[in-house]
């Protein structure tokens, strides 16, 4: 079970996924709030966020993790990820361009499965990391 | 002050191993596809059962971070386990800290997938606190609480996904 994207004989350590970039909007945050049920006003209510000393609303950490997950599954195929972990390094802000960087760091066979390890990061246009993490995916076939 | 610090340490040690809750969720097509839209995935596999079947799935699978959100849409009141614990050890530890101010931060998140979550699944969870500690950093007190939630298939009992949630209070 899993979408076939990578081919075991062709994947190599150091291979990188195509970079995906997205300019964060307030609408993204409202949509994510509605889909996830996270209605912390810091993520959708500009007045409340500024009253709390923030320059504006800021992104849900889990929106960023979800955005990076979309880039990850585009690369390794839906249904193949066996582990996905991130550290939330910095807040994200509307109008920042968030770009993914996904690199294969390992290739191994374990318990009859062909696996690749990956480093995954999401950063803004100034190169500030927002999410730093790692993942493992099975490569079918 | 020293006494206060010691008792906080005892509170943290005391919550390690305590249950954080039990839940049962239904995984439905509408909320899953809506969630895929919200994390800006364009894959047809999250939208169309024929695309999902062509990729080898029995039904539409859920995006990777869905387990963090699925209680919102799928935790129907009438199917919840009667023995679900009330109150949360996480709030017991964080509540008094939050009352004094400071910031709550989501520090880290991890998912281990035993199989993909799919539309039609009925999943049950059991959670517990796996670690709790405090440390000083740059003049701030950082309190870390880690919880682990294990989701399994309600019908077969097979493990589906393990979620690790790392919460930080900084003051």
């Amino acid at each position: 079970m899993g979408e076939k994207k990578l081919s075991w004989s062709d994947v190599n350590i150091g291979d990188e996924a195509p970079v995906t970039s997205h300019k964060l909007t307030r609408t993204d945050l409202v949509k994510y709030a509605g889909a996830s049920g996270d209605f912390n006003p810091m993520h959708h209510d500009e007045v409340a966020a500024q009253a709390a000393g923030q320059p504006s609303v800021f992104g849900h950490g889990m929106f960023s993790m979800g955005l990076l997950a979309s880039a990850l599954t585009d690369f390794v195929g839906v249904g193949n990820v066996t582990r996905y972990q991130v550290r939330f390094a910095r807040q994200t802000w509307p109008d920042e361009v968030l770009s993914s960087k996904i690199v294969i760091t390992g290739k191994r066979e374990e318990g009859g499965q062909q696996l690749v390890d990956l480093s995954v990061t999401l950063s803004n246009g100034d190169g500030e990391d927002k999410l730093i993490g790692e993942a493992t995916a099975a490569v079918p076939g | 002050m020293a006494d206060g610090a010691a008792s906080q340490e005892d509170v943290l040690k005391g919550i390690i191993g305590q249950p954080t809750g039990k839940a049962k969720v239904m995984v439905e097509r509408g909320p899953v596809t809506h969630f895929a839209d919200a994390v800006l995935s364009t894959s047809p596999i999250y939208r169309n059962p024929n695309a999902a079947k062509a990729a080898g799935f029995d039904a539409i699978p859920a995006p990777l971070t869905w387990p963090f959100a699925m209680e919102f849409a799928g935790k129907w009141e009438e199917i919840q386990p009667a023995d679900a614990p009330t109150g949360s050890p996480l709030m017991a530890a964080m509540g008094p800290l939050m009352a004094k101010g400071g910031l709550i931060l989501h520090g880290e998140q991890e998912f281990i997938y035993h199989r993909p979550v799919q539309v039609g699944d009925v999943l049950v969870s059991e959670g517990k606190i796996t670690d709790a500690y405090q440390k000083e950093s740059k003049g701030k007190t950082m309190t870390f609480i880690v919880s682990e939630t294990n989701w399994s298939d309600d019908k077969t009992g097979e493990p589906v996904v393990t979620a690790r949630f790392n919460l930080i209070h900084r003051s």
Side-chain angles (χ1 to χ4, degrees), chain A residues 86 88, chain B residues 68 94 105-110 131 133 143-148 163-169:
Chain A
V86 305
F88 300 97
Chain B
F68 196 84
M94 284 296 187
L105 305 164
H106 190 178
E108 290 180 29
Q109 182 68 35
E110 177 176 14
D131 206 359
Y133 56 96
T143 305
F144 296 79
I145 301 184
V146 185
S147 70
E148 185 176 299
R164 291 202 187 103
F165 175 61
N166 184 331
L167 203 61
I168 303 171
H169 178 266

Side-chain angles (χ1 to χ4, degrees), chain B residues 46-162:
Chain B
Y46 296 131
R47 292 172 174 78
N48 185 328
N50 299 324
K53 288 204 171 85
F57 297 92
D58 304 323
I60 289 176
L64 293 178
T65 56
W66 167 253
F68 196 84
M70 65 187 172
E71 288 187 41
F72 169 61
K75 193 177 161 184
W76 299 356
E77 185 179 305
E78 77 281 10
I79 61 171
Q80 296 315 303
D83 61 342
T86 54
S88 154
L90 203 150
M91 287 313 296
M94 284 296 187
L97 294 171
M98 286 160 71
K100 287 187 246 170
L103 259 184
I104 294 276
L105 305 164
H106 190 178
E108 290 180 29
Q109 182 68 35
E110 177 176 14
F111 299 99
I112 294 164
Y113 307 94
H114 308 289
R115 69 152 173 86
V117 174
Q118 296 183 91
V119 166
D121 279 343
V122 182
L123 304 177
V124 290
S125 73
E126 285 205 43
K128 64 173 189 291
I129 304 280
T130 53
D131 206 359
Y133 56 96
Q134 225 167 36
K135 63 182 183 191
E136 302 296 320
S137 170
K138 297 172 193 160
K140 307 256 188 196
T141 302
M142 311 277 281
T143 305
F144 296 79
I145 301 184
V146 185
S147 70
E148 185 176 299
T149 305
N150 286 293
W151 291 94
S152 54
D153 187 303
D154 187 44
K155 272 188 234 119
T156 64
E158 61 166 338
V160 177
V161 60
T162 300

Side-chain angles (χ1 to χ4, degrees), chain A residues 12-16 75 101-108 115-120 133-136:
Chain A
N12 291 299
I13 291 172
D15 286 355
E16 291 194 27
F75 182 52
K101 184 177 166 92
I102 297 172
V103 184
I104 294 181
T105 57
K107 182 177 176 182
R108 59 200 164 93
L115 300 171
V116 288
D117 299 306
L118 308 105
S119 71
V120 297
E134 49 194 44
T136 298

